[in-house]
Amino acid sequence: MNSFFYLFRTKIKGSVRVQFSSLGTGMAVIFTVLIYGILIGTIFTSSVPYDKETMYLQAATAILAGIGVTAFFSMLSLMSKRKALLYDTDAFYFFSGPYTKTQTNLFILVQTLKGALGYGLIGCFFMGLLSMGGYFSIPYFLLCLLVLFLISSIFLLMTDYIYMWTLVKPKAKIWNYIAVILVLASAGAVFFISMQAAGYDLEDGFLKFAVSREFYYVPFFGWGKLVLSAFLGKEYMGMIIGLALLLLANAVFVILFLTFPRNIVEQAVRDAEEISNYVRRVKANGGNILSSEGKIKQVRGEFPEGARAIFYKNILSMKKTGSFLRKQDFFVIVVYFLISYFMIAERRFYMFSYMMILWLFNLLNDTEFLGDLKNYQIYLIPENPLKKLIYVVLPAYFKISILIGTAILIAGIFNRMPVLTTLQYFFMLLGYAMIFISGTVWAAKVMKTKASVALENLLRMLIILLAAIPATGAGFLAWFLLKDLYVFQAVVTVVTIVMNFLVSAIILIACQGMMNGREI
């Protein structure tokens, strides 16, 4: 048992050590924690006492959003094709070391609960964002975290338990689909009842669905909503019943998991090695799902001479691998649109636009783009280095511009926004896209082969802050001279857009030496 706890402590220390293995990654971790800490602190400080008459709908919508995010990750874990109980290193130690079956299962259980805690924190983050200016106190946050953690742990434990049975009986995987269908069917039935009561008006039907007491009968998710709604309404008996149901469900799956009767070591080790190798390949591919995992299309392309060949090569690669519009990008955009749709009508378009900035953070881990930035052989092309760098970043920017333009245009038309407002946010997002691209280039130049996604995001944030200083200064000058809020907002918006493009251009010019085989 001592070796078990020693290994567990060593893994925790190793995880922390990896996060601070270099100055750059350490700064990125600290800066990221500070950013999210300030945002969460702002949510808590803006909380006001709960008033059921004016805040019930906002609170119900926030609860449904948090539960929805948790449901998304929970269903994703159940439907995932690649599963394993451990990664290969842990599997080697626990399945071949001096550990009992119960100790091994206990370690796996702890890892599962850590994942559930992460999903719970993500759900709480979305709840906090939708509760800005409303009620989201620290005790309420802790209760939300507990509820979402319990919901996530039920599904993650269910996923592991079904997976263990599939190693013995492959047909048992059908229970993954049965569990998802049962939950979705019960939620769909409640939504249908709400729509029927609202005369099939979509917006009114959703609002009725958000506050419906029938939702409490949806397994697991409804019980979580019962706990949080009862807490807000000071109906403590309902809160106790909901918590008791969630704890009971967790206890059942924990007991089933820890007392699993079959021997699955051999197949579990093979799956651990397979998923570990897959994760390593994805990390080496810039965090994207490998193009080799999907179909390669037969398409034709052309290769002009000089630096233009870089652009045409990357466009051809996007066509062959289908990476121009990946399924996960389309899915994320649709999810963001649906989340923004259920906001107050006047905020929908703005909410969607700012959520697209979050999407940009994950979009730019493009294999061809990142590979060309670190390709020593590009210096052999006898062209101006700045021209070569422009052709390297142009395919990624071309892709982003089309996707953002289409998404913003559809959102603008759907929400009946003025043309100028739609164009304003389109150019704003294009400016941020240039900031993110230049931040990636700068990270490759500064950190060379040690550049990481965390560091690139840190540099992007720093550049955004740098570009925001002149815009804020010009805005306050306009406010001081004219005392007009609309002029202040217009000046800040225009100067921010201009500064984003200007700072990005300066960074690209300063980094052009990368394309001469130097500084990489």
Side-chain angles (χ1 to χ4, degrees):
M1 184 61 75
N2 288 335
S3 62
F4 174 81
F5 287 113
Y6 174 76
L7 180 60
F8 190 75
R9 290 197 306 270
T10 304
K11 279 183 62 65
I12 294 175
K13 290 191 291 186
S15 300
V16 175
R17 191 181 296 116
V18 166
Q19 299 301 321
F20 294 91
S21 57
S22 66
L23 178 62
T25 56
M27 289 176 58
V29 171
I30 293 172
F31 189 79
T32 303
V33 170
L34 287 175
I35 289 292
Y36 283 107
I38 292 172
L39 182 58
I40 292 170
T42 303
I43 293 172
F44 287 146
T45 54
S46 66
S47 176
V48 296
Y50 181 71
D51 182 3
K52 186 174 181 178
E53 296 295 329
T54 58
M55 299 181 184
Y56 183 68
L57 184 58
Q58 181 187 17
T61 304
I63 291 172
L64 209 58
I67 291 176
V69 170
T70 306
F72 169 73
F73 286 111
S74 301
M75 301 298 177
L76 208 59
S77 67
L78 271 172
M79 303 297 289
S80 175
K81 294 181 180 179
R82 292 182 176 84
K83 294 187 178 76
L85 295 174
L86 295 167
Y87 288 112
D88 52 1
T89 306
D90 294 331
F92 171 77
Y93 281 112
F94 278 94
F95 289 130
S96 62
Y99 302 108
T100 65
K101 183 179 177 181
T102 301
Q103 288 176 327
T104 301
N105 286 352
L106 185 61
F107 178 82
I108 298 170
L109 175 63
V110 172
Q111 303 304 309
T112 300
L113 295 181
K114 283 169 57 180
L117 181 62
Y119 291 164
L121 286 170
I122 294 173
C124 286
F125 181 71
F126 275 89
M127 287 185 65
L129 289 179
L130 293 178
S131 300
M132 289 283 283
Y135 177 73
F136 201 74
S137 64
I138 293 178
Y140 181 55
F141 159 73
L142 294 175
L143 181 62
C144 292
L145 180 59
L146 174 63
V147 167
L148 298 183
F149 163 75
L150 291 174
I151 294 173
S152 300
S153 62
I154 290 171
F155 280 89
L156 292 182
L157 287 168
M158 187 190 304
T159 301
D160 286 346
Y161 185 67
I162 295 174
Y163 164 74
M164 292 164 76
W165 272 111
T166 59
L167 300 182
V168 180
K169 301 177 181 179
K171 290 185 178 180
K173 68 174 60 176
I174 194 174
W175 285 101
N176 290 314
Y177 303 100
I178 291 174
V180 171
I181 290 171
L182 288 176
V183 173
L184 291 180
S186 57
V190 176
F191 185 71
F192 176 76
I193 293 172
S194 301
M195 287 290 293
Q196 198 174 38
Y200 297 98
D201 180 84
L202 183 61
E203 185 173 354
D204 190 33
F206 172 78
L207 295 179
K208 289 185 180 298
F209 177 69
V211 301
S212 171
R213 299 182 71 88
E214 286 78 15
F215 189 81
Y216 299 156
Y217 296 105
V218 177
F220 314 126
F221 302 113
W223 305 342
K225 185 175 183 295
L226 171 61
V227 174
L228 299 178
S229 298
F231 175 82
L232 293 175
K234 297 183 179 180
E235 300 172 0
Y236 297 114
M237 182 55 67
M239 180 178 161
I240 293 172
I241 293 173
L243 280 174
L245 290 170
L246 290 174
L247 289 170
L248 180 62
N250 271 279
V252 169
F253 281 107
V254 166
I255 293 170
L256 290 173
F257 180 79
L258 293 178
T259 59
F260 186 76
R262 302 298 183 89
N263 185 359
I264 55 171
V265 172
E266 186 176 346
Q267 184 61 43
V269 170
R270 282 203 299 267
D271 287 350
E273 292 174 348
E274 181 182 339
I275 199 167
S276 298
N277 291 332
Y278 176 77
V279 170
R280 293 188 189 104
R281 295 198 305 272
V282 170
K283 287 182 177 179
N285 200 49
N288 291 325
I289 296 175
L290 301 172
S291 59
S292 59
E293 302 290 333
K295 296 181 180 179
I296 303 297
K297 301 175 184 177
Q298 296 296 324
V299 296
R300 300 183 64 182
E302 57 177 309
F303 289 95
E305 295 182 355
R308 292 173 62 211
I310 304 171
F311 175 82
Y312 281 89
K313 183 266 292 184
N314 288 341
I315 294 296
L316 179 63
S317 178
M318 288 181 185
K319 290 180 180 178
K320 288 174 70 68
T321 61
S323 61
F324 188 87
L325 177 58
R326 298 173 299 180
K327 291 180 181 178
Q328 57 265 41
D329 293 330
F330 177 77
F331 180 74
V332 169
I333 293 174
V334 171
V335 169
Y336 283 170
F337 184 81
L338 291 176
I339 292 174
S340 64
Y341 178 80
F342 294 119
M343 292 291 292
I344 298 174
E346 292 78 11
R347 299 180 185 174
R348 290 174 186 165
F349 178 77
Y350 307 105
M351 177 75 172
F352 177 74
S353 299
Y354 287 113
M355 291 180 80
M356 290 294 289
I357 297 176
L358 299 177
W359 175 68
L360 284 174
F361 272 95
N362 295 319
L363 182 65
L364 282 171
N365 299 321
D366 185 276
T367 303
E368 290 77 19
F369 174 47
L370 295 173
D372 286 338
L373 287 177
K374 302 171 186 178
N375 187 350
Y376 289 84
Q377 297 176 344
I378 284 183
Y379 78 92
L380 295 173
I381 300 175
E383 292 272 10
N384 179 280
L386 180 59
K387 186 177 180 180
K388 289 188 284 188
L389 183 57
I390 290 173
Y391 277 117
V392 167
V393 303
L394 204 55
Y397 193 65
F398 179 67
K399 167 185 174 179
I400 292 170
S401 300
I402 292 178
L403 295 181
I404 285 179
T406 304
I408 289 296
L409 178 63
I410 293 173
I413 293 173
F414 192 83
N415 291 290
R416 300 178 182 177
M417 298 300 295
V419 174
L420 289 178
T421 302
T422 304
L423 289 175
Q424 171 193 333
Y425 277 84
F426 171 64
F427 285 111
M428 179 193 75
L429 289 171
L430 288 185
Y432 282 123
M434 275 305 301
I435 286 287
F436 291 169
I437 288 176
S438 61
T440 302
V441 174
W442 190 21
K445 172 184 169 66
V446 173
M447 298 300 292
K448 299 180 173 60
T449 57
K450 295 181 180 180
S452 64
V453 174
L455 180 62
E456 288 168 11
N457 287 337
L458 170 64
L459 290 175
R460 290 165 185 164
M461 292 179 188
L462 290 175
I463 298 170
I464 289 172
L465 292 174
L466 178 66
I469 293 173
T472 306
F476 277 110
L477 179 62
W479 171 258
F480 180 76
L481 294 175
L482 302 174
K483 303 292 185 182
D484 190 318
L485 180 60
Y486 293 103
V487 174
F488 170 80
Q489 292 175 338
V491 169
V492 170
T493 300
V494 171
V495 177
T496 298
I497 292 172
V498 172
M499 287 304 302
N500 284 344
F501 283 103
L502 182 60
V503 172
S504 300
I506 293 172
I507 291 173
L508 293 179
I509 293 171
C511 295
Q512 62 180 305
M514 298 170 63
M515 297 295 105
N516 278 335
R518 304 191 306 270
E519 303 172 0
I520 55 174

